[in-house]
Amino acid sequence: MYTPKETFKEILISAGLRGSERSSSSKEEQQSTKQKGKILHPPIETFWQLPPTKDQHKKFTKSRTVKIMSLPFKKGVRKSKSLQTILVGSHDPKDEQIVDSFRQLLFLEGQLLEKNSDYHTLLRFLRMRDYDLTKAKNMYLNYLKWREEFNVDELSKELNFEEFNEVKKCYPHGFHGVDRYGRPIYIERIGRVNLDRLFEVTTIERFVKYHVTEQERTLNWRYPACSLAAKKHIASTVSILDVKDVGISNFSKPARSLFLEIQKIDSHYYPETLHRLFIINAGSGFKALWKAIKTFLDQRTLAKIQVLGSNYTKTLLEVIDPSNLPTFLGGDCTCSDYGGCLFSDKGPWNDPSVTTILQAMLEAEEENDDDEAKSSATKDSFGAVTPDNVSIKDVYDATPSRDDIFGQPFLQKILTLQTVVNDTKSKIQALEAVLKDTKSVIEGLGQPMEEVKKQIIVSKIRA
């Protein structure tokens, strides 16, 4: 009979030694792997780039914005073939296999896999744990528990971060533009942070909540917007950390508490969202501090970090166009109309030509949810997604036409098991009916026997 233990064994077999099959694409990653024995993987978008069609190639070269504006939206947004082309990308077949195995394992753990269980979210946790199913499962379940306890889904609605502008002034940070690939750029000017003032206008707890809402906004809004604008799947961030004049004295107890809490959240609950981190203006004071900070970071994260001195401009311009780089980092942008680049939140996520479509997709998602609630969604009995219900979540699940959620062989086994259980239940019910009839017959036979006993007793008394 089919048992969960047998399923678990099959899952492990189907997954194989996934981590050992992966190979790093850069010499730097290979060297780091030898040092720590940690498997480092290619950029998370490697298999998700969408090759343009022949007709699209010339149009994309001339104007990407015009192409985006030509896409239908609102009621027709889910049926648009052009939009589906943007949303649907290719997966590495090996990744698909282990993600399916991961879904099966989570299903056996009693997880319904509704929210926060799309293909790419599961892949992030698998990559973070080198495709070790058990470790990835534990990490993912902790993530779900944290989301519930921290009330993440409601946090963006409930948190009124009214001190936002004051926090920006004493802690200069923010998103600004995209790199040459299309990834969002995040900038922090640590050397200009005024911690005393920061903790006058806010608290560590409130700042951490604000940070979580920004992470959620990046996953659910910035990445999809960048994907639409770049015509390929965007799923990670390029960060720049300006540490001019930063040293040991800046790493006070409150600063350590804030750093450790944010670092824990980012590494445990938002894995594989950092593509590269450039630390610039690193002087002797910071280099001494860096030795201490490195102990809190895992090898995979360290491999993505490049520490630079004051001659950093050439390196940044290799990955970022000057128009997307602020002047204080060697670029051309000032965002003077917004009070500075770190106040502007410049990027595709604020471009009307992109956000109009993105908002329409969200509305379509809500309509689809309402349809599902009324049991009239256009899904088959296994929950397969059809071309008529492609929605915003498919930016992170690039195979909406899959036949099923958990894998057809697995579902077939579940259905077989259910059939066996139902058959056994019917046999038990039939047996109970037979036993009931037998009991009635025995009780009927018992009555004549009682009469015979009475007659024997009476005969003995008379004798």
Side-chain angles (χ1 to χ4, degrees), residues 3-19:
T3 65
K5 288 185 178 180
E6 291 172 354
T7 304
F8 183 69
K9 290 179 181 178
E10 291 178 12
I11 290 172
L12 294 179
I13 293 172
S14 66
L17 298 177
R18 186 65 179 86

Side-chain angles (χ1 to χ4, degrees), residues 86 182 222-235 395-396:
I86 294 175
R222 291 190 178 98
Y223 288 161
C226 289
S227 299
L228 288 174
K231 302 295 187 298
K232 53 193 174 188
H233 194 89
I234 302 298
V395 176
Y396 297 103

Side-chain angles (χ1 to χ4, degrees), residues 45-61:
E45 296 95 351
T46 298
F47 302 101
W48 302 342
Q49 186 167 354
L50 304 176
T53 63
K54 293 181 179 179
D55 295 335
Q56 291 172 332
H57 184 71
K58 294 181 180 180
K59 295 180 180 180
F60 286 172
T61 303

Side-chain angles (χ1 to χ4, degrees), residues 101-242:
S101 298
F102 193 30
R103 287 185 187 277
Q104 294 175 27
L105 181 58
L106 292 170
F107 179 73
L108 292 175
E109 289 287 329
Q111 297 301 317
L112 298 179
L113 298 180
E114 295 179 352
K115 291 185 177 180
N116 309 301
S117 62
D118 56 87
Y119 173 90
H120 300 301
T121 296
L122 298 181
L123 183 60
R124 289 180 192 278
F125 285 90
L126 284 166
R127 285 168 60 99
M128 190 63 185
R129 289 295 179 258
D130 294 330
Y131 295 88
D132 185 307
L133 285 171
T134 301
K135 291 181 179 179
K137 179 201 73 174
N138 293 336
M139 185 180 183
Y140 180 74
L141 294 181
N142 286 335
Y143 160 73
L144 295 182
K145 181 180 179 182
W146 168 78
R147 289 190 68 92
E148 183 178 358
E149 293 177 347
F150 207 75
N151 198 27
V152 174
D153 291 333
E154 300 298 325
L155 194 59
S156 297
K157 302 175 184 178
E158 296 177 353
L159 181 65
N160 180 19
F161 201 66
E162 54 189 13
E163 63 267 39
F164 175 79
N165 288 332
E166 289 300 317
V167 167
K168 283 271 189 177
K169 292 176 183 177
C170 55
Y171 190 153
H173 69 283
F175 282 87
H176 184 273
V178 296
D179 72 352
R180 294 184 185 275
Y181 187 87
R183 301 179 182 93
I185 301 169
Y186 177 75
I187 303 169
E188 282 193 10
R189 306 187 75 179
I190 299 297
R192 291 177 172 247
V193 173
N194 185 338
L195 277 179
D196 292 335
R197 177 58 182 162
L198 177 66
F199 294 126
E200 286 178 3
V201 299
T202 192
T203 63
I204 291 179
E205 181 182 2
R206 284 183 61 79
F207 188 89
V208 168
K209 288 183 177 180
Y210 157 71
H211 177 76
V212 170
T213 61
E214 283 296 290
Q215 286 283 41
E216 290 291 300
R217 178 173 170 79
T218 299
L219 283 176
N220 300 317
W221 186 260
R222 291 190 178 98
Y223 288 161
C226 289
S227 299
L228 288 174
K231 302 295 187 298
K232 53 193 174 188
H233 194 89
I234 302 298
S236 61
T237 303
V238 170
S239 296
I240 302 172
L241 202 62
D242 186 351

